[in-house]
Amino acid sequence: MKSHLICISTSLLFLGSARAESLPPSIPLWPAGAPGSEARKDEPEVMDKSNITNVHQPSLTPFIPDGDKSTGTAVIICPGGGHSKLCVGHEGFALGEWFQNQGIAAFVLRYRLSKEPGSTYTLEGHAMDDTRRAIRLVRSRAKEWSIKPDRVGILGFSAGGELAAYSAMWPKAGSPEADDVIERQDSRPDFQGLIYPGKSGTFTAEKGMPPVFIACGYGDRPDIAEGMASLYLKYKAAGVKAELHIYSNAGHGFGYRPGTTTAAGAWVDRFKEWLVDSGLL
């Protein structure tokens, strides 16, 4: 945990109105080390401006609203970065603070990176293990954080959007007899937010999957700008509730930047409205 705090404190520019020294301490997903990374769990992460690399101890940074302001809804945020870095500025901590101010508990996930130079990790294996574990951890502490365990969702940007989509596609049930109380929890998210996710051609939709909010830019690369339209139709055909926003004057990576006055910059308001309309907030 100490290494996470040291790295974060090296930058003050990427947090929106929050300052680095005010960030909550991160919570390791596996205190003894993530499976397959135990020997490297104490290696410090590397911060370059608002990007984090060298993640070997995956963790959550929690943004918990005060109890009297809590809505009971929680969202895990998966920053993008092409699986080679984590863009925790406009796709992480600033958004976590915004959710917190709306009474929504938010948790920024630092997952292992499968395309970082020299990485031995895989997206479908290690990164997805981190994603499922994050959902389980939040559910396991729902009472402590004034969260309703059936209102735990996930939202991801770009590469992180892949993890969000796959968590809904490939959930794993909990193990009721597990010694680890976290592993007793189900990893299925109750809702999903896909913000210009990559690899949409690999996404599938089946009846019973959690509802989905999708946002992207008209100017994004075709596999995303056009892929999101196709993905919406997949969900529609499967009977999965879906909402799609394609912003005509946006490209890739608009993320969340406090103070932005563009239509794409206000997607967070549309997302909150969608939660309300969906009975999730």
Side-chain angles (χ1 to χ4, degrees), residues 107-129:
F107 303 83
V108 178
L109 174 62
R110 278 177 269 177
Y111 53 90
R112 287 171 286 181
L113 299 165
S114 59
K115 293 187 178 179
E116 186 177 6
S119 175
T120 59
Y121 300 133
T122 65
L123 187 163
E124 294 83 358
H126 301 90
M128 282 307 304
D129 285 346

Side-chain angles (χ1 to χ4, degrees), residues 14-91:
F14 60 94
L15 301 174
S17 60
R19 292 183 65 82
E21 61 267 26
S22 68
L23 275 178
S26 60
I27 303 169
L29 299 184
W30 288 274
S37 300
E38 294 90 346
R40 305 189 69 178
K41 71 181 183 67
D42 295 323
E43 286 189 30
E45 294 172 349
V46 176
M47 172 69 74
D48 179 11
K49 296 182 180 178
S50 61
N51 299 323
I52 291 176
T53 56
N54 207 54
V55 178
H56 302 293
Q57 175 72 309
S59 64
L60 290 173
T61 301
F63 293 83
I64 310 295
D66 293 337
D68 60 341
K69 295 181 180 179
S70 176
T71 62
T73 299
V75 60
I76 292 155
I77 302 169
C78 303
H83 299 292
S84 63
K85 61 186 177 184
L86 299 178
C87 301
V88 294
H90 67 297
E91 296 177 351

Side-chain angles (χ1 to χ4, degrees), residues 129-147:
D129 285 346
D130 299 345
T131 306
R132 295 187 188 98
R133 177 75 174 187
I135 296 170
R136 287 173 165 149
L137 189 154
V138 172
R139 280 212 175 97
S140 74
R141 298 177 65 174
K143 184 176 181 181
E144 172 188 349
W145 289 326
S146 300
I147 293 168

Side-chain angles (χ1 to χ4, degrees), residues 74-234:
V75 60
I76 292 155
I77 302 169
C78 303
H83 299 292
S84 63
K85 61 186 177 184
L86 299 178
C87 301
V88 294
H90 67 297
E91 296 177 351
F93 299 134
L95 180 59
E97 184 186 53
W98 184 87
F99 277 125
Q100 182 182 39
N101 291 335
Q102 308 302 311
I104 299 169
F107 303 83
V108 178
L109 174 62
R110 278 177 269 177
Y111 53 90
R112 287 171 286 181
L113 299 165
S114 59
K115 293 187 178 179
E116 186 177 6
S119 175
T120 59
Y121 300 133
T122 65
L123 187 163
E124 294 83 358
H126 301 90
M128 282 307 304
D129 285 346
D130 299 345
T131 306
R132 295 187 188 98
R133 177 75 174 187
I135 296 170
R136 287 173 165 149
L137 189 154
V138 172
R139 280 212 175 97
S140 74
R141 298 177 65 174
K143 184 176 181 181
E144 172 188 349
W145 289 326
S146 300
I147 293 168
K148 296 181 179 179
D150 59 352
R151 289 190 183 181
V152 178
I154 190 166
L155 181 149
F157 299 89
S158 194
E162 297 168 21
L163 300 181
Y166 292 154
S167 71
M169 289 166 51
W170 308 325
K172 292 186 178 180
S175 302
E177 305 303 321
D179 292 334
D180 184 346
V181 295
I182 295 174
E183 291 299 312
R184 298 174 190 172
Q185 304 295 321
D186 198 310
S187 75
R188 179 187 183 276
D190 295 304
F191 59 88
Q192 49 178 324
L194 308 181
I195 315 302
Y196 47 81
K199 294 188 177 179
S200 62
T202 67
F203 297 171
T204 59
E206 297 180 8
K207 186 176 179 61
M209 287 176 62
V212 58
F213 176 97
I214 308 169
C216 67
Y218 174 89
D220 209 333
R221 63 181 196 251
D223 65 308
I224 295 179
E226 298 173 14
M228 293 302 95
S230 298
L231 181 61
Y232 169 83
L233 294 176
K234 286 183 181 180

